[in-house]
Amino acid sequence: MTQIVVLPHEELCPEGAVIEAAPGTSICEALLANEIEIEHACEMSCACTTCHVIVREGYESLEPPDELEEDMLDKAWGLTPTSRLSCQAMVAETPLVVEIPKYTINMVKEGGGRK
């Protein structure tokens, strides 16, 4: 199992969390399995940016994003060089530290997203 440290997020995880995930599990699946209710409006099909996370440590251990994910990330709020869509980033053996951005842009449902 791989350790994922989730930095505090005001609404979703106010105190932060340390969770475990099996290699090959997406970061999104790991968060949801541990009751961290990250948005995933497109049901993890790489069609929105609601599950955007910033990988603060361990980014190099993830497979690089494919072209579709990169195109979607260009639309994400608060994009950084280590941003990933958590539904597409598969956990490897290296521990990760992830941050869930304060805001998200929900392109699937009208009217916004997490604030």
Side-chain angles (χ1 to χ4, degrees), residues 59 95 99 107:
Y59 181 84
E99 177 183 351
M107 295 177 289

Side-chain angles (χ1 to χ4, degrees), residues 3-105:
Q3 183 181 75
I4 303 173
V5 174
V6 183
L7 298 176
H9 180 279
E10 187 176 305
E11 292 176 15
L12 302 178
C13 190
E15 296 178 14
V18 178
I19 63 175
E20 300 277 327
T25 303
S26 75
I27 294 172
C28 187
E29 292 168 322
L31 294 172
L32 293 170
N34 286 276
E35 300 179 5
I36 300 170
E37 297 297 321
I38 190 167
E39 276 194 73
H40 53 290
C42 71
E43 298 300 322
M44 298 185 246
S45 65
C46 197
C48 73
T49 63
T50 59
C51 72
H52 168 227
V53 296
I54 300 165
V55 182
R56 295 293 183 194
E57 292 180 25
Y59 181 84
E60 317 74 37
S61 70
L62 303 172
E63 290 290 320
D66 64 19
E67 190 174 332
L68 177 59
E69 182 182 357
E70 286 181 345
D71 288 347
M72 292 308 301
L73 280 168
D74 285 342
K75 302 169 186 170
W77 182 90
L79 184 66
T80 75
T82 59
S83 286
R84 291 297 303 267
L85 297 181
S86 66
C87 69
Q88 300 299 302
M90 300 301 165
V91 174
E93 302 282 335
T94 304
L96 301 172
V97 175
V98 299
E99 177 183 351
I100 301 169
K102 184 174 182 177
Y103 300 104
T104 189
I105 298 169

